[in-house]
Amino acid sequence: ILILTKYYHADSTKVLESSLWRSTDYGTTYTKLNLMPGTTIVVTSFYICPTNKKKVVLVSSSINERDQMLFISTDEGSSFQRQPISFTPDTLIFHPKEEDKLLAYCKEGRLFVSTDLGRKWTLLQERVTKDRVFWSVSGVDVDPDLVHMEMQDTSGGYLYVTCLIQNCSDKMVTAQFLGKIDHNSLSVQDDYIFVKVTTGNRTKHYVSYRRNEFVQMRFPKYALPKDVQIVSTDENQVFLALQEWYQSDTYNLYQSDPQGIYYSIVLENVRSTKQPEENVLIDILEVRGIKGVFLANQKIDSKVTTLITYNKGRDWEPLAPPTTDMNGKPVSCKVPDCHLHLHLRWADNPYVSGTVHTKDSAPGLIMGAGNLGSQLVEYKEEMYITSDCGKTWRQVFEEEHHILYLDHGGVIVAIKDTSIPLKILKFSTDEGQTWTIHNFTSTSVFVDGLLSEPGDETLVMTVFGHISYRSDWELVKVDFRQSFPRQCTESDYDSWKLTDLQGEKCIMGQERSFRKRKDMAFCIKGKSYTSAITAKPCQCTEKDFNCDYGFERSQTLKTEGDRCFADFWHDPDSPPEDCHQGQTYESSTGYRKVVSNECEGGVNKQQSAKQHTCPLLPPRGLQVGIKGQMLAVEPGDDITFIVHQEQGDTSSTKYQVDLGDGVRAIYQNLTVTDEPIQHRYENPGIYKVTVKAENMAGHDEATMYIQVTASLQEVHLEAVPIAGRNQEVNLTAIVLPSEANLTIFYWWIGDNVQPKLTLQNSLLTHFSEAGEVSVTVQASNGRSMVQDSKTIQVYDNFQVIPLSFSRNLDRFNPNIPEWREDIGQVVTKILAKITGIPKDFMVTMVKPGLPTMADLYVLPLESKPAKRSVFVDKVKTCYHGSAGGPGVWALAVILLITILATGSFILYKFKRKLPGSRNVYAQMHNEKEQEMTSPVNHSEDTQHIIQGEEFIDDDLDSQTLGNHSGVVLSINSRELHSYLTS
């Protein structure tokens, strides 16, 4: 026996300390193993090879977690070999058949492989999904070195791929499913492989039977599954639980045909419970030891009842209550108003039994916790037992107990499930009819779990726990071998026949008998014991047939009994999808034999099926799509088109394909060949792709639109910085690259959580309240989404003054938002110095396009009360002609020229050289000077203007508009005068 004890940090899952203990005398004595003398290491987990129990691998690390290592044993832990590794394994997976082959999964998604029991490791793949890695299945997969895995591709999607462990590079992996699958959806179980694909709000489930191509699983048409949980895949059939669109805490049970494709309902509304990490527990339990027997808890109108089936879900019945309680007194529970109900929970602790306990080597023996009544009571957990597979029950305890079967059920051990310390256990050697109390320790312990020696025949068990929460582990060996003086002989056994609750002996088409030890025989069944004696086939009856796909039993017509009716959406005579002209098919009678049923002769509900010749059917349900489901691609991307046809003959159908850019082709038998339609669009645009399918019986057509567009790089929101209340404002989004097409714009204005959508890059709006308003625009074209935001100041009153520049600035205008913002800031700064107006009261917005134009927004003084007196003082000083700073003189010059009808003045001049010229000074245009008229003295007027010009020249000669010299800014004097005098 090997036992690993781990001590965790109280607030995390980090292991602080560990100890490994080994016993070779059935747990009588334990030796603590010192793996590395003088060095403290932490063993986090150990794994035992399923095909050779002598081989053990420990996963460990140094105390500081810097050094990772394995300890490998080939002699049941007697000795270990240390093997340093360069990665931190999260899980080890032994090969199911070859004992030296191992897979190691790391948390970061890397997968390693070893072929020598962990001594050497090779990186197999990266970006692998945890718990979605599977070794090959013997008898199904051809190569034992094959690995199935779900992995993430470079685009972030998930694929189902396989590879051989000898070479699993990106070039050598094989995609087994065409297209991407949902994350965490790959499952490999026996003959079946399952994946699912979600598109929009619809999920499709696919299955591959014995590694054939994937086929969509066919549930009833309007089941519309939200979730699917596989219950079992043994006996050549899939048994699953499906949550339909209207269900929240229940599932429906379905069974498949042998290929796992077509599903029929067997039980509705089975209770489910959601666990942490999105795990779901469904209240269904397969009774081990006898095939076809299941227990399930059905929930209808908040009422939970326990049901049992003996024929794999065809018929369900409530459990019969016992006639007496544990003290032999009659119970008042009478059918049909009262039954036995059981809790069907799995234990969180892997070292104790769940609420119901069964075992393969003890057929018919079921022990569980529950209650009597009209429904299951959540916190009532009396213990009941049956030794005839649920036909009759007995109460044994009033409280829940942990159960352990020893010697094929010849000894049943029970320890109370309680939070207080214990020193006694109970055991029975006659299938629970009588119980003996045994003191397994002199000091009471908190019981943490029960362990038994491997093998169904063992009579040795270990109780482990602790005396207090600060004490070490207590391991107590209990050996029942001394209770039995001899091995059993044939005379120590009786036989019993399996029957259902109605007494029917033919179950799953057989009469089955099992061996049972006599009550008074105190002997050991031992390793050679077999439970089954005989299995005689029965003649087939109606009870050996279930409803076929598309059929259901009537829930309301009780007089119809077991008759199956076709669902309204199902036509039994319609040919199957793979029916080709010249072939024949059978239309369903509505019945199919229960899978793994062994009946012979008698009734054959499938015999009356009609034979039909496959007609030439017109194509119906034609669909065209692209691999990966993306309808927006970049120019130059490789696209694989997929054509699917739901109905109709394909072998004689001609398919005309038009890819929308002048490329056309004709295909024959397109939907059943592996030849893909591959194409590449070089130019942006919207392309209409059409596929026309036609044969002698008819035609069908499918259309899709492909958006070929470059990903958006950025968007710039162009908006006026200042707007008037209730005045119309134009918002414009400039998208890069400019050739991006079919872009959708989302506009968020103010605090609105619902955006406005437009196909144009502009929006007209208005603001009803003064203050700051935030505007955000998002641009999306199917390939990408970009965003920009601006803040707009809303006022009741403000002035807008148009500005214009001389044409030579246009040569340097790249017409991009950043340049316009920079120029606007420079102009605002210069105007603030010239006029003396604080720059917080002015905003210059350069307009997009050519010629270069701008608007000067001047705010009312009332909007900035803290600075008002400064500006007013400067204006008063100018009018009184007092001496002042340069800003005052500049303002005086502007005020002087306001008497002109119109005018231009030089904002500043540059002393930078243009190519091919020496020194260019900004001047008043001659033609403008000739137009000026004034009643005042021209020479005096001119002198003021020259003084102003010289001031501008001297004060601002270091200011430039980039490298643009000789630029003239024109201001409408009348508009400026209008503002200043107001």
Side-chain angles (χ1 to χ4, degrees), residues 596-748:
S596 69
N597 187 294
E598 302 292 338
C599 72
E600 298 175 354
V603 175
N604 186 356
K605 299 286 286 185
Q606 296 171 292
Q607 192 172 21
S608 59
K610 300 177 184 176
Q611 289 284 336
H612 302 272
T613 301
C614 292
L616 177 61
L617 295 175
R620 290 289 182 267
L622 188 67
Q623 301 171 10
V624 58
I626 62 175
K627 184 179 178 181
Q629 308 293 329
M630 289 295 294
L631 298 179
V633 299
E634 298 227 15
D637 280 357
D638 290 322
I639 305 171
T640 300
F641 289 94
I642 301 169
V643 178
H644 176 70
Q645 183 176 301
E646 292 184 352
Q647 296 178 355
D649 189 88
T650 57
S651 59
S652 60
T653 302
K654 179 174 65 175
Y655 299 87
Q656 302 178 49
V657 179
D658 186 343
L659 299 179
D661 62 347
V663 176
R664 296 179 177 85
I666 297 177
Y667 294 84
Q668 194 79 20
N669 199 18
L670 178 64
T671 61
V672 292
T673 65
D674 293 328
E675 180 185 4
I677 304 174
Q678 294 183 329
H679 192 58
R680 179 184 299 168
Y681 293 96
E682 299 295 342
N683 300 316
I686 301 174
Y687 297 90
K688 180 181 179 181
V689 178
T690 58
V691 178
K692 295 180 180 178
E694 185 175 12
N695 60 25
M696 296 294 291
H699 61 86
D700 197 7
E701 183 173 327
T703 301
M704 70 175 300
Y705 291 89
I706 297 289
Q707 298 179 30
V708 181
T709 180
S711 295
L712 300 177
Q713 298 171 4
E714 53 186 319
V715 61
H716 291 279
L717 177 59
E718 299 278 357
V720 293
I722 298 168
R725 191 159 62 92
N726 292 321
Q727 291 182 2
E728 199 170 67
V729 176
N730 182 46
L731 306 175
T732 302
I734 307 299
V735 174
L736 294 178
S738 57
E739 62 270 13
N741 61 308
L742 206 63
T743 302
I744 299 175
F745 297 89
Y746 302 82
W747 307 85
W748 278 273

Side-chain angles (χ1 to χ4, degrees), residues 243-486:
Q243 189 172 56
E244 302 194 20
W245 61 273
Y246 59 87
Q247 294 176 309
S248 58
D249 57 356
T250 59
Y251 282 66
N252 292 341
L253 294 182
Y254 285 84
Q255 283 180 343
S256 75
D257 60 351
Q259 289 74 35
I261 300 173
Y262 293 97
Y263 290 81
S264 300
I265 193 166
V266 293
L267 183 64
E268 293 183 292
N269 297 314
V270 177
R271 184 175 70 167
S272 66
T273 307
K274 184 157 284 189
Q275 298 291 302
E277 299 181 1
E278 296 301 312
N279 292 326
V280 176
L281 295 182
I282 299 169
D283 278 19
I284 182 168
L285 178 80
E286 184 173 7
V287 176
R288 296 164 63 185
I290 300 179
K291 294 296 184 183
V293 182
F294 289 83
L295 292 167
N297 280 335
Q298 188 178 51
K299 183 178 182 180
I300 299 177
D301 297 330
S302 300
K303 183 178 177 180
V304 179
T305 56
T306 302
L307 305 175
I308 188 170
T309 178
Y310 291 89
N311 49 16
K312 215 171 184 181
R314 186 200 182 276
D315 300 292
W316 295 85
E317 297 176 90
L319 297 177
T323 56
T324 61
D325 62 14
M326 59 181 293
N327 299 314
K329 296 180 180 180
V331 297
S332 59
C333 183
K334 304 297 180 183
V335 295
D337 299 320
C338 181
H339 293 91
L340 172 63
H341 309 283
L342 299 176
H343 298 280
L344 304 179
R345 294 193 307 267
W346 295 98
D348 295 330
N349 182 351
Y351 302 110
V352 297
S353 63
T355 53
V356 174
H357 194 59
T358 65
K359 198 168 188 177
D360 287 324
S361 62
L365 194 60
I366 307 172
M367 195 166 178
N371 65 272
L372 302 178
S374 60
Q375 62 181 313
L376 183 66
V377 180
E378 196 60 39
Y379 298 105
K380 199 169 183 181
E381 296 175 333
E382 303 159 346
M383 295 297 295
Y384 295 86
I385 192 171
T386 175
S387 55
D388 54 11
C389 203
K391 184 179 180 182
T392 60
W393 293 83
R394 302 185 303 275
Q395 183 186 2
V396 290
F397 306 123
E398 291 181 337
E399 297 172 292
E400 184 181 1
H401 284 59
H402 299 310
I403 305 300
L404 191 65
Y405 290 171
L406 303 175
D407 190 29
H408 309 281
V411 176
I412 306 173
V413 180
I415 292 184
K416 186 186 293 186
D417 180 13
T418 178
S419 58
I420 63 175
L422 301 171
K423 64 168 73 173
I424 66 169
L425 58 76
K426 305 166 189 175
F427 70 92
S428 173
T429 59
D430 54 8
E431 296 181 336
Q433 296 189 59
T434 60
W435 293 85
T436 303
I437 295 176
H438 172 67
N439 284 281
F440 64 89
T441 179
S442 58
T443 304
S444 297
V445 298
F446 294 95
V447 176
D448 294 307
L450 309 177
L451 297 171
S452 65
E453 180 78 4
D456 294 327
E457 74 281 359
T458 185
L459 281 165
V460 180
M461 63 168 288
T462 298
V463 180
F464 71 92
H466 52 279
I467 296 176
S468 71
Y469 287 105
R470 295 182 178 272
S471 68
D472 290 331
W473 293 101
E474 296 288 327
L475 303 172
V476 183
K477 170 189 170 183
V478 184
D479 191 344
F480 290 95
R481 288 177 296 177
Q482 305 306 317
S483 302
F484 301 95
R486 60 184 177 83

Side-chain angles (χ1 to χ4, degrees), residues 136-157:
S136 61
V137 178
S138 178
V140 184
D141 290 302
V142 176
D143 199 316
D145 291 335
L146 187 75
V147 177
H148 306 263
M149 70 184 83
E150 177 183 299
M151 64 175 290
Q152 191 175 29
D153 64 11
T154 54
S155 68

Side-chain angles (χ1 to χ4, degrees), residues 717 731-733 745-749 755-756 758 761-763 776-777:
L717 177 59
L731 306 175
T732 302
F745 297 89
Y746 302 82
W747 307 85
W748 278 273
I749 300 174
K756 295 181 178 180
T758 65
N761 70 329
S762 62
L763 175 71
T776 298
V777 62

